Structures are given as C-alpha cells and as structure tokens.
Amino acid sequence: MMLTWPVLLNGLFLQQGMCMKTPSRPPVRKLAWAVVIKLLLLTAIWWCFLAGQKVEVDAEQASRHLLMHPTTDSNKEQAHDF
C-alpha cells in the first residue's frame, strides 16, 4: 500500500518527508515525580508529628464507649399526622 500526501496518521495530516516523533511520556514522568515527592513529604510529616504519639487504651472505657446508645432526635419516636 503506497501512502500519498497528505497522510492521515492518528488524526494528523503529515506532509511527505516529515516524520512524527512520539513524546517519551513526559506527562507520565512528571506525574510519577509529583507522586513520589508527595509521598516523601507525607512520610516526613508523619515521622515528625505522629510517629512518637502513643494512645493509652483502657479496655473498660472502650467497651463502655462502644456499647453506648446516644439518644438523638432521629431515634426518638415522633407523632405523625396523616
């Protein structure tokens, strides 16, 4: 099959003798670097502020907290007029 000018290649018209170079994926590379930098920053923030934090958990207090049934307006019975 012989291609004649203009050649439609991937939606682009190319003149005879011109070649189209494909990018070496710079947006993907930039995105990957951005993700790596953000992960490093989040790790540094966690290490500086949260790594040394310890929470004392009392089993008795935790069980009381989990078994509590708070009363809210949505739990109360309301009269409906039909």
Side-chain angles (χ1 to χ4, degrees):
M1 176 176 166
M2 183 167 181
L3 300 174
T4 60
W5 182 85
V7 178
L8 181 62
L9 181 65
N10 293 333
L12 299 173
F13 287 100
L14 300 176
Q15 293 180 1
Q16 192 171 2
M18 293 179 65
C19 62
M20 190 169 80
K21 296 173 89 176
T22 58
S24 62
R25 299 192 183 266
V28 174
R29 188 175 298 135
K30 286 181 181 180
L31 181 62
W33 275 112
V35 169
V36 168
I37 290 170
K38 286 180 181 184
L39 286 175
L40 289 173
L41 287 173
L42 285 173
T43 302
I45 289 170
W46 178 84
W47 194 261
C48 289
F49 296 106
L50 302 174
Q53 300 294 322
K54 302 292 179 196
V55 177
E56 296 293 327
V57 178
D58 180 24
E60 185 77 24
Q61 184 181 7
S63 66
R64 275 196 314 267
H65 176 74
L66 292 174
L67 295 176
M68 252 185 353
H69 297 291
T71 304
T72 61
D73 289 339
S74 62
N75 290 345
K76 294 179 184 177
E77 289 186 32
Q78 297 177 355
H80 297 285
D81 296 329
F82 292 104

